[in-house]
Amino acid sequence: MRGEWLLIECIRDAPTVLAVGREPVGLEPLDKVLRGQALRTADHAITQVRETGQRYEEFSRTRDEHVIAEPVANVLHMVHGVRLWIGRLGDAVPARTRSGAWDWNLDKMTALATEEMHDIYAVPPERRRDEISRVSSLRHVTAADDQAEALAAALSADESLVYQTTWQITRDDQVRRDINWVARGGMVDGQRFLHGLTHDITEGDDADAPLPPRTFAQALVEAELGAEPGVYHALVDLKTLTAYRWLTGEMPGVAWELTGDPARDPALHPDDLPIARQIALALPAGPVTGTVRLRDTDGQWMTVAVEAKRVLLSRAPEVATALVRLSRVEASS
């Protein structure tokens, strides 16, 4: 594997290989991908990066070897991965692919996103924040065969969870890219987290990935959810009562992105929390309707009518979410 960049996942103690060049690898141990001196070199370089959090580079005449190892760190400077290149002295160092580290707080329903992650999604400077809402973290995903399985993993994550998948995204500059990502569950200060790496695996830097085949099920869902003007659909976490995925376009006027100003951040009106809990508890018996107030982008409250349906994301009955239909309730004159 000399001459190609390796993306190494090291969220836990034992590092694994996530990708060779742009080719995803199923989290293989290092000794399954590298042998002999290359393995010893990789072990040393990865250890240096994990211990220091800094880029490591070495030129060895005795081994005729040039080594570069770069940290892929999260917002808190924890090294989730290492980009590793091992070549010969005099070899041209190839361009590396885009990758980044992220963390989802499953109890707070927020995500930590680095500049590298924002680069992958071509997020404009004015929308870049270290902490974003979970809705924001998933807003670019446009195609995924196993989306239900991935969302189920996120909702039921514990320290044993390991999940790897490939999704297609549409960046903010409207370029389609295929990305491979890996997630591991964990606990931080008593809160459930997913820690992960994202890797852009599409050839080139700014070319469109091919559109995936459109399935009959996708066509039916899109036709059903997009049939009514002024109606929007979101998936809502039943534990936190927080939206985490728009299934149609975002509802205009609703605050769904973090701003850094608590008075303008996404929120359910405190007085309506009991109503939302009642809706969630009643879902096993069938669809439930109600009216709640959501914070709007001006920091005021918008009244919306909701119809919620329980959706199972796996065979386990406890791994469920709510499909919520939202429409604005106009104030009476």
Side-chain angles (χ1 to χ4, degrees):
M1 299 300 174
R2 284 181 180 271
E4 291 200 78
W5 281 96
L6 305 185
L7 181 57
I8 310 298
E9 174 270 327
C10 51
I11 297 168
R12 297 282 172 79
D13 290 339
T16 63
V17 181
L18 177 61
V20 176
R22 296 186 186 272
E23 187 67 28
V25 177
L27 299 180
E28 294 283 357
L30 281 178
D31 60 8
K32 296 293 185 182
V33 178
L34 299 172
R35 297 286 189 275
Q37 183 57 51
L39 176 59
R40 292 189 290 274
T41 296
D43 276 330
H44 177 72
I46 292 167
T47 299
Q48 291 296 309
V49 172
R50 296 180 76 180
E51 289 180 352
T52 66
Q54 302 297 315
R55 183 179 185 272
Y56 172 83
E57 186 169 12
E58 181 186 9
F59 298 87
S60 172
R61 289 186 178 180
T62 58
R63 301 194 307 270
D64 186 24
E65 199 170 62
H66 180 192
V67 184
I68 301 173
E70 302 175 342
V72 187
N74 72 354
V75 168
L76 302 176
H77 308 294
M78 300 165 60
V79 177
H80 283 356
V82 175
R83 290 183 286 258
L84 176 69
W85 180 78
I86 304 173
R88 299 189 182 281
L89 295 177
D91 287 352
V93 180
R96 57 175 174 77
T97 54
R98 293 187 179 116
S99 56
W102 52 267
D103 303 89
W104 285 354
N105 184 326
L106 303 183
D107 292 322
K108 192 178 176 184
M109 293 300 284
T110 61
L112 299 178
T114 63
E115 281 298 307
E116 290 181 326
M117 286 298 301
H118 289 313
D119 288 342
I120 289 172
Y121 296 116
V123 177
E126 66 273 13
R127 294 184 74 170
R128 295 190 176 199
R129 304 189 62 82
D130 289 346
E131 186 174 27
I132 60 177
S133 67
R134 281 285 302 281
V135 176
S136 295
S137 71
L138 289 170
R139 68 187 177 87
H140 299 93
V141 178
T142 51
D145 291 337
D146 61 348
Q147 192 168 167
E149 185 179 351
L151 294 174
L155 291 176
S156 60
D158 58 27
E159 292 177 291
S160 67
L161 174 74
V162 182
Y163 192 79
Q164 184 180 10
T165 189
T166 299
W167 284 357
Q168 188 166 103
I169 63 165
T170 300
R171 302 188 321 201
D172 279 340
D173 59 3
Q174 300 308 300
V175 173
R176 296 188 309 273
R177 305 290 288 182
D178 290 330
I179 61 168
N180 185 257
W181 64 267
V182 62
R184 289 189 184 270
M187 297 293 292
V188 179
D189 296 330
Q191 294 185 313
R192 296 176 306 132
F193 267 77
L194 279 184
H195 308 292
L197 291 172
T198 291
H199 182 210
D200 185 332
I201 59 174
T202 306
E203 290 296 329
D205 286 335
D206 301 301
D208 275 320
L211 280 170
R214 183 179 172 85
T215 67
F216 182 58
Q218 288 171 330
L220 287 179
V221 169
E222 290 173 11
E224 177 66 22
L225 297 186
E228 298 178 79
V231 174
Y232 304 87
H233 296 83
L235 293 177
V236 174
D237 187 315
L238 293 172
K239 293 181 180 178
T240 63
L241 304 177
T242 306
Y244 64 95
R245 180 88 166 97
W246 288 107
L247 295 180
T248 51
E250 300 89 2
M251 187 172 184
V254 170
W256 56 272
E257 291 189 287
L258 294 179
T259 65
D261 179 358
R264 290 180 178 268
D265 282 346
L268 178 67
H269 195 290
D271 292 345
D272 293 345
L273 280 170
I275 298 172
R277 292 193 184 101
Q278 289 173 7
I279 291 173
L281 290 172
L283 281 178
V288 184
T289 60
T291 302
V292 296
R293 287 163 289 180
L294 303 178
R295 182 169 283 143
D296 65 22
T297 52
D298 294 325
Q300 305 303 311
W301 298 102
M302 177 192 297
T303 302
V304 298
V306 299
E307 178 183 6
K309 298 177 181 177
R310 190 167 181 260
V311 177
L312 290 177
L313 295 175
S314 75
R315 294 181 182 274
E318 69 274 10
V319 185
T321 186
L323 170 61
V324 179
R325 175 185 184 275
L326 304 98
S327 58
R328 185 163 187 166
V329 176
E330 299 297 338
S332 57
S333 57

